[in-house]
Amino acid sequence: MALGVLLTALGAIAGAMLADTEDGSQWMWLHWACKPLATSLVFALAWRVREPISARYRAWVLGGLGLALVGDVLLMLPQDLFVEGLVAFLFAHVCFLVALTGDVRLGAKPIALLICVGYAVLCMWSLWPTLPEELHLPIVVYTLVLALMGGQAVGRAWHHALARDALANPAWLAGAGSILFMLSDTLLAWNRFRISLPLAALWILGCYFGALWLLARSVMRASPEDSALR
């Protein structure tokens, strides 16, 4: 399963990079085939975990991964469905946020939350002059939810690390995945609305698939004694 995710993710990245070259449009099929397949395999990875840290946590993470797959498809369609794709990923982050508040309340570590929200505000400030006016509200809402998800994930990881309990390692996987999601979306926004980044597909999709992989892996127990979310 892990090898399949790696190969399809590399295929999606390679297809996007080759399609971005002169006369490279014939390679776009590789990106279209591999990107949703990679996300589907990550979904299957989380689904097949025999001993999740909790049924609730896995269900909400699966919901987020499923909505990410919907967002992948919407953003790849020939129509301009950017807002529809954004909405799909917005609800994906809501699912991840609900998963991450199952055992640690929202804002339990205010510093982590403030840092992520501050980072989001800084990104919005830097992009605001080049954002289309009709996208102001959707992107503000999306960015706020993403920042809350990232801050909660880091705060949750911090909480379990201090407790030194069995959820510490899975929580850090989720925290790292959430930060990668924020980084991927930052690069995507800069590449779409600000400047053309060199090797954009490599950095954006590399962070994106890394984020999905880590969030899926965070479903798995770190030890047989891990029952804190049950």
Side-chain angles (χ1 to χ4, degrees):
M1 184 69 73
L3 180 59
V5 173
L6 177 61
L7 291 177
T8 51
L10 290 175
I13 293 170
M17 293 179 68
L18 290 169
D20 199 37
T21 61
E22 187 176 354
D23 299 325
S25 58
Q26 68 271 18
W27 287 102
M28 186 55 76
W29 68 267
L30 182 62
H31 176 73
W32 288 342
C34 288
K35 189 179 182 186
L37 181 55
T39 305
S40 298
L41 290 175
V42 173
F43 181 95
L45 174 74
W47 175 270
R48 293 179 59 185
V49 170
R50 292 185 178 181
E51 295 185 352
I53 60 174
S54 83
R56 177 191 182 278
Y57 183 83
R58 175 164 63 179
W60 283 105
V61 168
L62 285 174
L65 294 173
L67 285 163
L69 176 59
V70 172
D72 285 343
V73 173
L74 289 172
L75 293 176
M76 289 191 306
L77 292 174
Q79 301 91 339
D80 184 7
L81 298 177
F82 179 77
V83 173
E84 290 81 356
L86 194 72
V87 170
F89 277 104
L90 169 66
F91 283 105
H93 296 314
V94 170
C95 287
F96 293 138
L97 182 59
V98 173
L100 295 165
T101 53
D103 59 314
V104 176
R105 66 176 177 81
L106 181 63
K109 298 295 180 183
I111 294 176
L113 203 60
L114 287 173
I115 289 174
C116 288
V117 171
Y119 171 80
V121 170
L122 181 62
C123 289
M124 286 298 307
W125 173 80
S126 66
L127 289 169
W128 199 258
T130 56
L131 284 177
E133 187 174 351
E134 64 272 15
L135 293 180
H136 283 178
L137 181 59
I139 290 182
V140 166
V141 173
Y142 177 85
T143 303
L144 176 60
V145 172
L146 176 60
L148 289 175
M149 190 271 288
Q152 176 63 15
V154 174
R156 176 175 174 267
W158 186 358
H159 171 88
H160 286 296
L162 290 176
R164 297 183 179 181
D165 59 25
L167 290 183
N169 287 338
W172 275 118
L173 291 176
S178 299
I179 294 303
L180 279 181
F181 229 129
M182 293 181 67
L183 179 57
S184 174
D185 281 356
T186 300
L187 294 172
L188 176 64
W190 269 79
N191 188 62
R192 183 180 178 93
F193 299 114
R194 191 73 174 179
I195 60 174
S196 181
L197 299 174
L199 303 176
L202 175 62
W203 312 124
I204 295 168
L205 293 177
C207 290
Y208 173 65
F209 287 122
L212 295 185
W213 171 262
L214 289 169
L215 286 164
R217 291 286 295 176
S218 74
V219 169
M220 188 180 301
R221 288 189 187 195
S223 69
E225 293 76 25
D226 186 357
S227 59
L229 287 180
R230 285 190 176 275

